[in-house]
């Protein structure tokens, strides 16, 4: 609860200077959830001198379709495949929490951000991708839009999907200068 109150405080106090009013998220997220995670992303990006993201209803809808598909097919946390009807077209972060009443979309963002402690200002590569890939996607300098969604699984767990455009995490490249 403290984390959520802190994020709302950022919204109210203007610390999250990259706030965007989101009337319809395009996914199952409420407008306040969408605003909260957008502000969180933009504060994380501001830390490293990267410009703000804008919320995309289209990306949120895209994320919702995948979250719903994962929830309906056993709630396994899998990224979209490279080909086929569910082909990945955007950057993607995933999060799973054991209880939808406990884990929020902000918790997903905080989990991805926690990878920062492993990032050493090096290009993304096979040696560090699994430790920092969620964080580096959040701060990828060429990414301009984000959309997120969540789905509750039959067992009560929650899946969160974030999609980013343009995508990031190109091997051999740094997320920001």
């Amino acid at each position: 609860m403290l984390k959520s109150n802190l994020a709302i405080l950022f919204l109210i106090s203007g610390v999250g200077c990259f706030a965007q009013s989101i009337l319809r998220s395009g996914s199952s997220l409420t407008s306040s959830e969408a605003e909260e995670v957008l502000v969180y992303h933009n504060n994380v990006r501001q830390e490293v001198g990267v410009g703000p993201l804008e919320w995309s209803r289209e990306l949120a809808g895209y994320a919702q379709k995948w979250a719903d598909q994962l929830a309906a097919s056993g709630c396994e946390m899998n990224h979209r495949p490279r080909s086929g009807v569910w082909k990945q077209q955007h950057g993607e972060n995933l999060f799973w929490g054991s209880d939808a009443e406990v884990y929020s979309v902000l918790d997903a963002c905080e989990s991805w951000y926690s990878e920062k402690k492993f990032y050493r200002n090096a290009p993304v590569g096979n040696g560090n991708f699994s430790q920092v890939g969620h964080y580096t996607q959040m701060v990828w300098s060429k990414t301009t839009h984000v959309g997120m969604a969540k789905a509750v699984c039959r067992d009560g767990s929650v899946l969160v999907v974030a999609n980013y455009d343009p995508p990031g995490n190109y091997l051999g490249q740094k997320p920001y200068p």
Side-chain angles (χ1 to χ4, degrees):
M1 190 65 166
L2 177 62
K3 292 185 268 185
S4 295
N5 290 340
L6 191 59
I8 291 168
L9 178 63
F10 283 134
L11 282 170
I12 293 169
S13 70
V15 171
C17 59
F18 300 112
Q20 173 185 353
S21 178
I22 301 169
L23 299 177
R24 292 188 336 246
S25 72
S27 70
S28 65
L29 271 61
T30 66
S31 59
S32 63
E33 286 175 315
E35 289 173 8
E36 182 178 50
V37 296
L38 180 63
V39 166
Y40 189 87
H41 271 79
N42 286 335
N43 286 337
V44 167
R45 292 171 66 84
Q46 185 179 30
E47 285 180 3
V48 296
V50 176
L53 296 176
E54 291 182 28
W55 185 262
S56 166
R57 284 193 300 266
E58 293 78 17
L59 286 175
Y62 182 80
Q64 188 66 59
K65 288 177 185 172
W66 188 239
D68 291 343
Q69 171 65 18
L70 291 174
S73 62
C75 209
E76 290 187 27
M77 197 169 73
N78 295 314
H79 285 281
R80 284 179 179 257
R82 299 267 180 229
S83 62
V85 75
W86 292 103
K87 180 182 178 183
Q88 180 60 264
Q89 299 172 12
H90 308 284
E92 184 173 77
N93 279 349
L94 301 177
F95 172 85
W96 177 88
S98 61
D99 187 340
E101 297 296 319
V102 174
Y103 292 99
S104 69
V105 289
L106 184 60
D107 289 321
C109 296
E110 290 171 343
S111 173
W112 302 328
Y113 175 72
S114 73
E115 295 177 359
K116 180 181 182 176
K117 65 183 170 265
F118 301 114
Y119 183 65
R120 302 287 178 253
N121 198 27
V124 174
N126 292 328
N128 67 356
F129 182 76
S130 64
Q131 287 186 313
V132 302
H134 299 103
Y135 169 70
T136 54
Q137 178 56 82
M138 289 178 83
V139 297
W140 201 265
S141 65
K142 292 185 174 123
T143 298
T144 58
H145 291 82
V146 64
M148 291 178 64
K150 66 181 174 183
V152 178
C153 302
R154 288 183 210 114
D155 65 0
S157 60
V158 64
L159 281 166
V160 177
V161 177
N163 286 120
Y164 300 85
D165 195 66
N169 282 335
Y170 291 101
L171 297 182
Q173 295 183 20
K174 293 168 99 176
Y176 53 87

